[in-house]
Amino acid sequence: MFNKVYISDRVFWIGVNDRRKRLFENIWPLPEGVSYNSYIIVDEKTALIDTVDVTAGKCFLDTVDKYLAGKTLDYLVINHIEPDHSGEIAGILKKYPEVKILGNAATKRIFEACFGATSNFEDVGKGAVVKLGHHELSFVMTPWVHWPETMMTVDLTEKIVFSGDAFGTFGTLNGGIFDDEVNFEFYRDEALRYYSNIVGKYSNMVQKAIAKLAGTEIRCICPTHGPVWRKDPQKIIDLYNKWSRYEAEDGLLIIYASMYGNTEMMADYIARKVAEKGVRNIRIYDVSKTHISYLIREAWKYRNIFLGSCAYNTGMFPLIDHLCCELEHLGLQNRRLGIFGSFSWNGGGVKNLVKFAENIKWELIAEPVEIKGIPSDEDFRKCDALAEALV
Ligand code: FEO
């Protein structure tokens, strides 16, 4: 039976869940899946806001049809044209050839590269208001959250913000679609993994987007991924605000690379010393075992980060090198760093971690500790300085 999901009398959620895809953007694991949220407004005129990924949307066009109930589709709003949201645009254009596309100048460039030239495109990037009847739509330009064309659509009538990737999360919608129907603890870590890996590089633009929304009355936030926020939209705004300001928790994150266990012994020793000094929330990860997306999430979570690496071909261990490159690329700021590592016949791990510290401009809280071979009692005592500096 067709079960409509009401956001208000004339506004509906029309998304799909993807539990099949293993890697989002062919890189980020999806153990809990992901939803692609589309929305439809059925007023005197009708508007579809974003579509869904083509791999997950086999019934999507039929569902659009059911909501329209004999009406045609007047507008397709493209808040974000990345293929996880534009996958069904070709199907929409084929089915509703007269549909007017609403986007901005950057949207148009990408649209034409993907779907060909069109005379049905309306640029709403400069203060346009589109009247559907009862509902009126305005548009807030939020470039780089997450692509250059990204914008948000505001339903002025119902105070609903269709926010694109902003305020989204990994994790499918498992029956519950609204924030008051789900346990957010299921989403909390995946929301941060989504933020840090997908949107985090553009944190300054997230700040600008939040500032632009400051004067807007918001009753409900409808992102393109994850729950719809109708009970407490401020909750997800506050989280995105915190993450995009690089605010972090106390505690200690240790990530190490170790081939034969010497650097690992240092990690465990340091963690024990830090715990003895009363620090709680200590997390240790072996870089070879945990996917980088989780390590990036943890780096976004903790203020204090200790990185350890053995030497590998006169450099860092390749996987921690990769992690450092990504952290630098993402521009994570305001972290306190400790460095340690070991080598057998030549250095390279610690030396290159120090270069990373200089490049990323994190505060180095103590002299790096580098040891040769299996750590001796004297070597462990050198590690004490790192634990002491932390607390
Ligand atoms: Fe959900 Fe940037 O696409």
Side-chain angles (χ1 to χ4, degrees), residues 272-285:
R272 179 65 197 142
K273 283 291 171 185
V274 170
E276 282 176 357
K277 291 177 186 301
V279 174
R280 300 296 175 255
N281 290 332
I282 302 170
R283 298 283 182 275
I284 306 181
Y285 292 91

Side-chain angles (χ1 to χ4, degrees), residues 24-25 34-36 80-85 145-147 149-150 164-165 194 198-199 224-225:
F24 188 75
E25 296 180 342
V34 67
S35 72
Y36 313 113
H80 184 23
I81 201 166
E82 190 169 3
D84 54 333
H85 310 298
V145 188
H146 137 236
W147 276 18
E149 89 298 355
T150 322
D165 281 351
Y194 173 82
I198 308 299
V199 186
T224 46
H225 303 286

Side-chain angles (χ1 to χ4, degrees), residues 66-258:
K66 285 178 183 164
Y67 275 101
L68 290 174
K71 285 173 169 261
T72 191
L73 184 64
D74 296 299
Y75 295 105
L76 169 62
V77 180
I78 303 178
N79 277 339
H80 184 23
I81 201 166
E82 190 169 3
D84 54 333
H85 310 298
S86 63
E88 287 288 7
I89 285 182
I92 291 289
L93 296 178
K94 194 170 173 193
K95 201 159 183 179
Y96 310 101
E98 302 303 318
V99 69
K100 180 155 275 185
I101 316 292
L102 305 183
N104 56 65
T107 321
K108 189 164 191 271
R109 286 194 292 275
I110 305 172
F111 180 93
E112 293 190 343
C114 296
F115 304 106
T118 176
S119 55
N120 270 350
F121 193 98
E122 184 176 331
D123 185 344
V124 293
K126 294 195 174 75
V129 172
V130 173
K131 297 184 180 180
L132 303 178
H134 178 63
H135 289 260
E136 292 186 3
L137 304 179
S138 72
F139 307 90
V140 180
M141 298 304 110
T142 54
W144 295 108
V145 188
H146 137 236
W147 276 18
E149 89 298 355
T150 322
M151 64 183 203
M152 297 186 190
T153 298
V154 180
D155 179 338
L156 298 169
T157 312
E158 300 276 4
K159 321 293 184 206
I160 300 168
V161 174
F162 302 94
S163 63
D165 281 351
F167 313 123
T169 169
F170 287 142
T172 50
L173 296 166
N174 303 319
I177 290 171
F178 298 91
D179 58 338
D180 53 288
E181 296 178 335
V182 304
N183 181 352
F184 184 65
E185 291 315 305
F186 171 76
Y187 294 100
R188 184 179 293 277
D189 272 352
E190 283 294 82
L192 179 53
R193 193 167 66 91
Y194 173 82
Y195 179 81
S196 54
N197 286 276
I198 308 299
V199 186
K201 177 174 173 54
Y202 310 105
S203 288
N204 62 329
M205 303 309 283
V206 173
Q207 281 289 302
K208 286 182 182 175
I210 290 172
K212 280 188 181 176
L213 288 177
T216 305
E217 185 184 346
I218 299 174
R219 192 181 63 77
C220 182
I221 286 182
C222 297
T224 46
H225 303 286
V228 172
W229 295 83
R230 69 179 175 189
K231 183 180 178 210
D232 189 6
Q234 194 60 42
K235 179 172 178 172
I236 194 69
I237 294 173
D238 288 346
L239 282 172
Y240 265 64
N241 191 27
K242 173 184 165 181
W243 296 334
S244 56
R245 294 160 67 93
Y246 310 109
E247 289 176 9
E249 299 171 16
D250 289 330
L252 174 63
L253 168 66
I254 301 178
I255 302 172
Y256 69 84
S258 185

